[in-house]
Amino acid sequence: MMKKIRILIAKPGLDGHDRGAKYVARALKDAGYEVIYTGIRQTPDAIVKTAIQEDVDFIGLSLLSGAHNELFPKVVELLKSKNADDIIVFGGGVIPESDIPGLKENGIRAVFTPGTPIKDIIAYIESAK
Amino acid sequence: MQNLARQVLKQDIRAIARSISLIENETDITQKEALIDTLHPHCGNAIVWGITGPPGAGKSCLLDRFIEHLRQDNKTVAVIAVDPSSPFSGGALLGDRLRMQKHATDDGVFIRSMASRGHLGGVAGATADAIKIFDAAGFDYVIIETIGVGQTEIEVMELSDIVLLVLVPGLGDEIQALKAGVMEIGDIFIINKKDLDGADRLKSEVEYVLSLKDSIESDSKHPICMTSATQNDGIGNALSQINSYFAGLRDDGRLAQKRKERIEKELKHIATTKIMASANRFLNIDQRLNGWVEEVFQKKVSPYKLLNKKIGDFLQEINWQ
Amino acid sequence: MSKDEHFQKRRKDWEDTTVKKTTDRFPERKTEFATSSWIPADRIDIPESGDFDNYSDKLGFPGEYPYTRGVQPTMYRGRFWTMRQYAGFGTAEESNERYKFLLEQGQTGLSIAFDLPTQIGYDSDDPIAEGEVGKVGVAIDTIEDMEILFDGIPLDKVSTSMTINAPAAVLLAMYVAVAEKQGVSRDKLTGTIQNDILKEYMARGTYIFPPKPSLRLITNIFEYCSAEVPKWNTISISGYHIREAGSTAVQEIAFTLANGIEYVKAALKVGMDIDSFADRLSFFFNAHNDLLEEVAKFRAARRIWAKVMKEKFNAQKPTSMMLRFHTQTGGSTLTAQQPDNNIVRVAIQTLAAVLGGTQSLHTNSRDEALGLPTEDSVRIALRTQQIVAHESGVTNSIDPLAGSYTIEKLTDTIEAQAWHYLNKIEDIGGMVRAIENGYVQKEIQDAAYRYQQEVESGERVVVGVNKFTIKENPPSDILKVDPKLRDLQINKLSEIKKLRNNENVTQKLNELRLAAQDPDINLMPTIVAAVKEYATLGEICNILREVFGEYQESIVL
């Protein structure tokens, strides 16, 4: 047997636009990954605890409300505090280009903005795993 | 490995999670066996439930309510939620925990989604050992939520102390399900969405089928509970019925009997797997198979003749008898 | 009379009765309408010959059943649609400034965007509101914020649309109370609350309570408004977000109308008379790029709704059968790549909405795939509507695409496919059940997945995204909300909590709890009383959460 890559797709914050998150979840499943999807309105704490229980390799965060600068780094911070920062965090959604460097400094390893083809996300996962 | 097991016994969440991955991935069999061996003395305290029933019956939602009630009694709960892997991509979309996500931040609850990875029977190949990990880690309850496809889910019966079969009116195939023997799996019957039309009719149908079953088994009455998980209605009652059913099992020795049967199956399973693996190794089947196929195809030999000979040679070689 | 003369005779009847009744009260904008080359444009064009009965059944005349060609007899010859830009961000003060800017620019109605904590009934100081305060709209905690929001805007002069659903009753109560403070009586208030919870469960996500108590709140609002705020549109049944979630055009109208049917049933169940509330129901649709399909979609929606109201619910009043709708151009069609291209997309979508006979319109700004729109972008979006209204000429004759083979075929096809869904949902046992068992969500997700796969494969071209791409510099001027805003809002809130009469607040909240426990009591008066005492939105919603419980998302993946 081979180790399966497990990925948590999570929506922090309060926005209910889950079209992108669901699409990515389904497309990653079709690419052969095990994907855990938790639905909308997840707190950073719930996301991190879920990621640890599910022993995922990646967390993909999706947010369209503009709260990414607050919530994405919070997830990374909590992972660190639980010695789980080997889990790789990437993000997507309506995120202005100018926010990306700041997010990367805060431990978000990759940011995918609208229009990113799914093959780019898969390529990233394969290169980072 | 000792270290990982020690962490599991200390209820370290990451260690538990990683142990389950270790079992699922089967990347290192020796390590996996060592882990389970170390944990074995600490197993046997958890109460193991299986929850099964057709898709759309509200299993996750109901489970969410049970967790809520069990937590009020200060019981810790581990959940293994099984979903199918895609036979095409090998990937899986694991969404059962969504319904239970309000417990995500509760340290007394551990939810693990598990893809079936091709295993049949409504659970995953790793489910049995994952139960042991949770059991050894000290969870009061370990609950398995099956994929929910019906009569093929016998395996959950072999893994759990009690199986809750969740039914719901209006799926249209109730009677078929009853006839098809799904009923054999359940210890407790839960009719969820009891506010829907047809709930009472479904209840009498279940009662009827059970009256036949009970007259054969005659050792216990199978409770039928009516719930509405979304309305949080009937959950407490169902829980106390489950608990007293369990107490009955425990007190008259049927629980021990059940668990022994489980061990028996497990031993047989391990034995078969190991013998198969050893025999494979010795006979070198994988490499020689092509040649054999050719021989059989050209009618130089028949399958039985060929294999009786090969295995006979092998047994002689290892001085069997 | 020869068969073909029917057409001209009916047209004359229509001019003499339906049109005349309207023009007597509201004359048309001009006495003569003509193209840019002075070719006269008739009010309406109809076939000269053909199957008259078929024409009457399917199309009829504007302002007459089945309203395929429009709900008003003169449509845009009487007056243009309401140009209503959805706006709001940050604090009430900032949003108030933006509203005044928009009114100065010639906008004719307000459309309030609330931030997510407000939409989900949390105060700004709730831990779950972290990062979200003031982000996608304005933060409203108490009636004080609402007063600031409408400061200097006379509520009897402006019509206000509020995108608020789960806590719609609370925001409406605040609006009514602010009007009272401005000295405006309730019967003068015009506007809309979205108040459409079913689509929140299936597509938009700002639900709080389970379906049953949510429907009760909705019917409470219907009853309250029918007696107290008669000119208020009590619900805006929205397909917009269903489409944004990835549905097809057919699914958009089918699921929206199915939601409408569910609301009507709920109101009938509490004993309301169909004609006492049906004309206060309004709709809200999306406009995408496929121009002809969109036009056909709007026409089909009107025809279906008229039939549903007349045949299924036995409505008597013509206004009960009219599907009036607001349109917003499709947010999900905007691209972050080459954002100026979005101006063109929005122009096409504007045409779709206008040719489809919309009553009001919001045009998206080019930069909305990047963040909140800047003032410049908002102006261009509004100008797009003004150009279509004043320069394009499509407003001269009513329903000018009617009779096109393609348009009529599309209209018929969309109608047939939508009926198929409506019947299916009826078979499942209504929309609430169809949502609870995930049927609708699954249909939408499958369509969204298929669409995205086509984009990924290049089979479907999105200009600037998967074809005709260029290297771009990141856009520079993106509007951002000050992250400190939450602290400001929290301070304001704690000040109010100190200054208000807390005994009165507790008492009003207790009254609300008791009222909520009795399903036969209308909650609106109690909520109005509570907001007047400066009870916060969160406090009120928490009481209701306690009594009603919270909805748990149902997802079929």
Side-chain angles (χ1 to χ4, degrees):
Chain A
M1 277 258 184
M2 276 257 297
K3 178 179 162 32
K4 275 266 178 210
I5 300 290
R6 287 166 70 85
I7 304 166
L8 172 66
I9 298 294
K11 279 196 63 64
L14 297 175
D15 100 81
H17 298 101
D18 55 6
R19 176 177 176 177
K22 281 177 174 168
Y23 175 73
V24 170
R26 191 157 157 183
L28 291 179
K29 170 203 163 188
D30 286 348
Y33 303 108
E34 289 187 359
V35 183
I36 293 112
Y37 180 64
T38 51
I40 62 171
R41 292 194 211 168
Q42 299 294 308
T43 62
D45 190 27
I47 291 169
V48 166
K49 285 186 168 151
T50 299
I52 292 176
Q53 290 182 353
E54 298 286 0
D55 195 30
V56 296
D57 306 282
F58 294 88
I59 302 176
L61 300 171
S62 162
L63 192 62
L64 281 77
S65 69
H68 49 268
N69 285 336
E70 287 85 354
L71 297 176
F72 286 9
K74 189 104 191 228
V75 170
V76 177
E77 211 175 283
L78 280 170
L79 281 172
K80 274 191 192 135
S81 75
K82 296 190 183 301
N83 288 321
D85 49 338
D86 54 304
I87 300 175
I88 296 170
V89 180
F90 62 89
V94 179
I95 294 168
E97 204 75 31
S98 53
D99 286 354
I100 294 177
L103 290 172
K104 288 200 168 162
E105 257 167 54
N106 280 300
I108 318 303
R109 299 268 288 274
V111 177
F112 301 103
T113 48
T116 308
I118 195 75
K119 64 177 189 322
D120 291 4
I121 301 178
I122 293 169
Y124 171 74
I125 290 169
E126 287 302 311
S127 69
K129 75 179 184 193
Chain B
M1 189 40 44
Q2 290 309 312
N3 193 28
L4 186 60
R6 231 186 349 262
Q7 296 295 322
V8 168
L9 294 173
K10 279 194 202 150
Q11 299 176 352
D12 180 274
I13 302 295
R14 265 222 116 176
I16 297 170
R18 294 206 147 153
S19 302
I20 295 173
S21 300
L22 176 73
I23 285 165
E24 281 193 291
N25 289 328
E26 288 191 329
T27 34
D28 187 338
I29 305 284
T30 331
Q31 209 183 11
K32 168 192 142 174
E33 290 182 358
L35 174 73
I36 299 298
D37 287 345
T38 318
L39 297 180
H40 183 257
H42 305 275
C43 290
N45 301 313
I47 298 172
V48 184
W49 292 359
I51 292 198
T52 183
K59 296 188 290 291
S60 306
C61 196
L62 194 64
L63 184 44
D64 172 61
R65 294 295 186 190
F66 280 132
I67 298 173
E68 215 172 284
H69 280 71
L70 291 169
R71 291 301 293 143
Q72 278 162 15
D73 296 342
N74 267 323
K75 303 290 185 196
T76 54
V77 186
V79 173
I80 303 168
V82 188
D83 268 326
S85 296
S86 158
F88 306 107
S89 70
L93 203 38
L94 308 168
D96 283 338
R97 70 174 294 139
L98 183 125
R99 289 281 194 175
M100 302 168 243
Q101 198 52 11
K102 68 167 175 278
H103 305 290
T105 52
D106 177 351
D107 290 333
V109 179
F110 191 128
I111 300 166
R112 178 63 177 239
S113 313
M114 197 173 265
S116 64
R117 299 194 185 178
H119 190 87
L120 301 173
V123 296
T127 306
D129 283 338
I131 295 171
K132 292 186 182 176
I133 291 168
F134 284 127
D135 188 354
F139 283 91
D140 298 317
Y141 286 80
V142 180
I143 307 178
I144 312 151
E145 183 185 337
T146 69
I147 294 175
V149 284
Q151 39 180 325
T152 57
E153 304 205 322
I154 313 289
E155 201 170 329
V156 71
M157 193 165 79
E158 292 163 6
L159 294 178
S160 12
D161 298 328
I162 287 189
V163 174
L164 316 180
L165 177 60
V166 186
L167 297 168
V168 65
L171 288 182
D173 51 1
E174 296 111 29
I175 306 189
Q176 287 311 316
L178 304 185
K179 279 188 194 154
V182 175
M183 300 285 288
E184 309 297 325
I185 302 175
D187 294 298
I188 315 266
F189 295 82
I190 298 181
I191 295 171
N192 194 29
K193 308 193 186 178
K194 72 186 179 85
D195 45 331
L196 290 185
D197 290 343
D200 291 325
R201 209 192 65 224
L202 177 58
K203 184 173 184 233
S204 15
E205 281 162 9
V206 175
E207 269 165 358
Y208 172 70
V209 177
L210 281 182
S211 67
L212 303 175
K213 186 181 176 186
D214 286 344
S215 66
I216 301 164
E217 290 181 2
S218 77
D219 47 2
S220 78
K221 271 241 159 282
H222 294 282
I224 305 172
C225 312
M226 307 284 279
T227 60
S228 167
T230 51
Q231 319 262 350
N232 199 7
D233 190 358
I235 310 295
N237 173 52
L239 192 58
S240 63
Q241 299 232 44
I242 298 167
N243 284 338
S244 61
Y245 186 88
F246 179 80
L249 288 182
R250 187 188 53 210
D251 296 345
D252 66 10
R254 272 178 301 148
L255 180 67
Q257 186 57 38
K258 242 183 170 173
R259 288 183 175 181
K260 278 182 197 162
E261 282 167 17
R262 192 187 308 161
I263 293 172
E264 185 186 317
K265 287 224 165 74
E266 188 188 0
L267 291 177
K268 276 187 189 161
H269 175 71
I270 296 173
T272 325
T273 332
K274 287 205 169 283
I275 290 167
M276 283 282 292
S278 312
N280 255 331
R281 225 168 26 243
F282 274 105
L283 288 170
N284 204 3
I285 291 178
D286 289 344
Q287 284 201 0
R288 295 158 77 179
L289 200 60
N290 276 342
W292 294 350
V293 169
E294 206 50 44
E295 283 180 51
V296 174
F297 179 72
Q298 294 182 4
K299 305 210 171 71
K300 288 185 182 156
V301 66
S302 79
Y304 285 121
K305 203 167 221 166
L306 173 86
L307 284 171
N308 281 335
K309 167 109 179 54
K310 298 288 174 196
I311 291 167
D313 289 351
F314 162 64
L315 293 177
Q316 216 159 29
E317 200 176 304
I318 61 167
N319 258 329
W320 185 266
Q321 272 152 11
Chain C
M1 189 166 62
S2 90
K3 240 188 147 194
D4 294 343
E5 285 167 351
H6 278 297
F7 283 103
Q8 290 314 318
K9 185 179 175 305
R10 266 295 286 124
R11 178 206 192 109
K12 194 170 178 315
D13 289 348
W14 170 72
E15 297 273 3
D16 293 345
T17 57
T18 309
V19 174
K20 189 166 182 307
K21 243 191 280 171
T22 301
T23 47
D24 282 352
R25 287 171 59 214
F26 310 103
E28 293 185 341
R29 289 183 285 117
K30 298 188 259 185
T31 43
E32 302 283 334
F33 286 82
T35 69
S36 67
S37 321
W38 302 284
I39 299 170
D42 282 337
R43 186 171 287 124
I44 188 179
D45 293 304
I46 58 168
E48 285 173 6
S49 61
D51 183 343
F52 178 74
D53 292 338
N54 185 45
Y55 174 84
S56 287
D57 285 352
K58 282 190 165 173
L59 303 177
F61 289 82
E64 290 182 4
Y65 188 85
Y67 304 102
T68 312
R69 303 199 61 178
V71 290
Q72 293 122 352
T74 58
M75 287 300 290
Y76 308 131
R77 291 164 70 104
R79 71 174 187 82
F80 294 126
W81 59 93
T82 306
M83 298 175 193
R84 196 194 289 278
Q85 299 296 89
Y86 182 53
F89 59 95
T91 58
E93 286 87 350
E94 285 171 282
S95 298
N96 176 262
E97 258 174 56
R98 175 67 67 99
Y99 299 150
K100 286 178 176 163
F101 165 81
L102 285 167
L103 292 170
E104 279 162 23
Q105 295 297 312
Q107 174 167 293
T108 46
L110 289 179
S111 176
I112 315 294
F114 297 100
D115 71 357
L116 286 165
T118 306
Q119 293 189 48
I120 310 174
Y122 294 114
D123 287 337
S124 299
D125 60 357
D126 196 297
I128 201 162
E130 186 180 356
E132 302 280 15
V133 175
K135 282 284 160 66
V136 302
V138 59
I140 300 291
D141 292 319
T142 67
I143 186 178
E144 173 141 319
D145 294 322
M146 203 73 158
E147 279 176 74
I148 298 167
L149 192 64
F150 293 106
D151 182 54
I153 301 171
L155 296 188
D156 51 347
K157 298 274 169 7
V158 65
S159 92
T160 306
S161 162
M162 293 191 266
T163 300
I164 194 76
N165 295 280
V170 186
L171 275 301
L172 176 63
M174 286 182 182
Y175 193 81
V176 166
V178 168
E180 200 170 294
K181 288 196 174 189
Q182 284 191 1
V184 175
S185 68
R186 291 173 187 178
D187 60 340
K188 293 216 171 56
L189 296 177
T190 59
T192 308
I193 40 174
Q194 198 160 76
N195 200 21
D196 171 14
I197 199 66
L198 293 174
K199 65 94 176 50
E200 297 295 329
Y201 299 135
M202 66 170 90
R204 189 164 174 274
T206 69
Y207 45 74
I208 307 177
F209 317 112
K212 210 172 164 184
S214 294
L215 285 170
R216 170 197 174 181
L217 281 168
I218 290 168
T219 52
N220 281 178
I221 291 171
F222 286 2
E223 286 177 309
Y224 176 82
C225 287
S226 130
E228 304 271 333
V229 203
K231 286 201 259 174
W232 196 263
N233 293 316
T234 51
I235 194 166
S236 168
I237 307 160
S238 307
Y240 180 81
H241 318 89
I242 295 172
R243 191 67 179 279
E244 286 298 288
S247 84
T248 63
V250 171
Q251 289 168 348
E252 177 192 351
I253 62 164
F255 297 157
T256 307
L257 297 179
N259 285 345
I261 290 170
E262 200 72 24
Y263 296 127
V264 170
K265 282 190 194 158
L268 295 177
K269 214 167 152 189
V270 298
M272 294 185 75
D273 172 57
I274 183 83
D275 288 308
S276 77
F277 65 90
D279 62 351
R280 297 329 303 163
L281 307 176
S282 62
F283 289 82
F284 172 20
F285 293 116
N286 208 318
H288 272 212
N289 292 330
D290 193 328
L291 178 68
L292 299 183
E293 179 177 74
E294 292 300 288
V295 174
K297 174 188 83 179
F298 297 125
R299 301 170 87 241
R302 272 196 297 273
R303 188 153 77 199
I304 299 172
W305 188 245
K307 280 187 200 164
V308 165
M309 293 307 283
K310 185 174 178 167
E311 288 165 18
K312 185 179 172 74
F313 293 117
N314 280 316
Q316 302 298 315
K317 271 180 17 192
T319 48
S320 300
M321 303 171 205
M322 294 178 189
L323 180 145
R324 297 169 302 128
F325 68 100
H326 171 69
T327 306
Q328 179 170 340
T329 58
S332 61
T333 67
L334 301 178
T335 63
Q337 296 77 3
Q338 304 176 38
D340 284 350
N341 294 347
N342 292 326
I343 298 175
V344 182
R345 294 192 176 95
V346 169
I348 294 171
Q349 295 163 3
T350 300
L351 270 174
V354 171
L355 290 167
T358 195
Q359 275 60 60
S360 64
L361 178 62
H362 164 105
T363 34
N364 288 329
S365 301
R366 58 182 162 169
D367 46 3
E368 284 183 65
L370 307 166
L372 282 173
T374 60
E375 225 161 67
D376 277 348
S377 306
V378 173
R379 187 186 294 112
I380 295 173
L382 181 58
R383 294 290 180 259
T384 306
Q385 296 198 38
Q386 290 160 337
I387 291 168
V388 169
H390 296 278
E391 299 183 20
S392 77
V394 298
T395 55
N396 289 336
S397 296
I398 300 166
D399 190 27
L401 296 188
S404 143
Y405 297 123
T406 307
I407 280 288
E408 296 305 349
K409 188 188 83 182
L410 273 172
T411 306
D412 290 351
T413 308
I414 291 174
E415 182 186 4
Q417 293 187 2
W419 275 114
H420 178 78
Y421 272 122
L422 288 172
N423 293 333
K424 169 99 196 180
I425 289 162
E426 197 72 34
D427 288 346
I428 291 174
M431 207 46 167
V432 172
R433 289 216 51 198
I435 292 168
E436 282 175 344
N437 74 17
Y439 168 73
V440 206
Q441 297 93 313
K442 177 98 173 76
E443 288 294 304
I444 298 171
Q445 275 165 42
D446 286 349
Y449 195 70
R450 182 174 168 187
Y451 171 86
Q452 203 58 40
Q453 296 265 298
E454 287 179 11
V455 173
E456 300 258 349
S457 72
E459 191 181 326
R460 189 184 286 264
V461 173
V462 182
V463 173
V465 174
N466 63 1
K467 209 166 186 176
F468 316 114
T469 54
I470 50 167
K471 264 258 166 278
E472 290 180 84
N473 292 324
S476 47
D477 56 339
I478 289 174
L479 185 66
K480 277 202 198 152
V481 175
D482 183 0
K484 299 216 176 52
L485 187 131
R486 182 167 180 235
D487 299 334
L488 281 177
Q489 196 66 18
I490 290 176
N491 287 342
K492 192 156 78 171
L493 186 56
S494 71
E495 273 307 299
I496 290 169
K497 282 186 179 169
K498 263 184 244 156
L499 292 174
R500 68 185 184 180
N501 182 331
N502 277 303
E503 246 170 68
N504 286 1
V505 173
T506 312
Q507 193 202 327
K508 293 298 171 201
L509 290 176
N510 284 336
E511 283 169 23
L512 177 64
R513 183 183 291 106
L514 285 176
Q517 283 160 352
D518 180 348
D520 294 331
I521 293 181
N522 191 317
L523 295 179
M524 275 308 293
T526 335
I527 295 175
V528 173
V531 301
K532 281 186 182 170
E533 291 293 343
Y534 292 85
T536 70
L537 171 74
E539 286 168 338
I540 292 171
C541 289
N542 282 338
I543 296 281
L544 297 178
R545 278 189 183 93
E546 198 186 300
V547 180
F548 295 156
E550 287 184 71
Y551 178 73
Q552 170 75 54
E553 165 177 31
S554 123
I555 284 198
V556 180
L557 287 165

